[in-house]
Amino acid sequence: MPVRASTAIACANIAFIKYWGNRDESLRLPASGSISMNLAGLQTQTRVAFDESLHGDLLSINGQPVRGADLQRVSSILDEVRRMAGGVHYARVESQNNFPAGVGIASSAAAFAALALASSNAAGLALSEAQLSRLARRGSGSACRSIPGGFVEWRAGTGDEDSFGVSIAPPDHWALTDCILLISSAPKTTSSTEGHRLAATSPLQTSRLADAPRRLEICRSAILQRDFEALAEIVELDSNWMHAVMMTSRPPLFYWQEATLTAMREVSAARKAGLPVCYTVDAGPNIHVLCERSREDQVLALLAKLPSIQEVRLAHVGGPARTTDL
Ligand code: DP6
């Protein structure tokens, strides 16, 4: 067949317990497990077409041709798919995001989850959820959590075979909202990939990793019991600890801006005053403010008072990666 194509959609996710640091960089085997919630509506749609007339892989993102390191990263996933399928054709990859990339809202997670699903389908492979998650992980660690739906745990595993995302609760288990505050849409100066490399240079990373099983357990049971207070405390601790590692690595990484810290303080103060709300921040200045859906109006009223916020986007709990092929 001259052209074999498939299209897939995957959503971004926000980590409650973060992935920061690899024990095997090339396979993206994490130094500890992590837990996230898929973000409905913040999504990447990717079409992959293996085409015998091509002389190399082609990539476009939002209609713009992409070359260099980003194309190589996509080609390495396609190489893996070609290896599994025993095929040799190059592919045309067309990807569209409906949210800004490279600013700490896990665009690579949505992108590599959609790529794993579309490329394996187009190659005629019928991969299991675990196999898809492992494939997505090799492109971007957090992408393995955007393959299953709802609330997802990525178990660190012992190797490539058992390091993948598993749904711990479906999207309708708990009506949570992530209010994403865009403080800056400028691309971050240090990528997550580079940040993972620096994590081990922080004197705080050893204690962070040693405590990870405890935080994962508290987070997992807070989700299963829909216990917002327990979730809030562990989510903020985990985010702060990761940023403490970032700030104490060599060289240090500072992702927060003034408005990030102001928002963190206001959210914590509101919780002390009785509003069930908490924050978490990824590798960028933007802040994710979590609440139960029933509290959205109260939380939006709080956020409306904050300075230097360009935009607030709401995301509810998202489903698994899916194809749009008929
Ligand atoms: C802070 O998955 O983006 O968002 O594997 O290099 O693509 P790469 O890293 P990435 O790292 C995510 C870092 C984080 C925390 C998280 O999502 O768990």
Side-chain angles (χ1 to χ4, degrees), residues 13-22 25 28 34-36 73 104-109 112 136-145 154 188 191-196 208 238 242-243 246 255 281-284:
N13 65 69
I14 177 63
F16 293 170
I17 301 296
K18 314 276 190 200
Y19 151 54
W20 198 249
N22 283 311
E25 192 186 325
R28 284 188 158 83
S34 54
I35 294 180
S36 58
R73 198 165 162 185
I105 44 178
S107 54
S108 64
F112 281 97
R137 188 201 77 225
R138 293 168 78 133
S140 174
S142 55
C144 77
R145 300 189 310 240
W154 173 12
K188 53 193 169 200
S191 68
S192 300
T193 305
E194 181 55 26
H196 290 297
R208 178 179 167 269
D238 190 83
M242 178 182 74
H243 283 272
M246 291 163 163
Y255 285 110
V281 185
D282 276 350

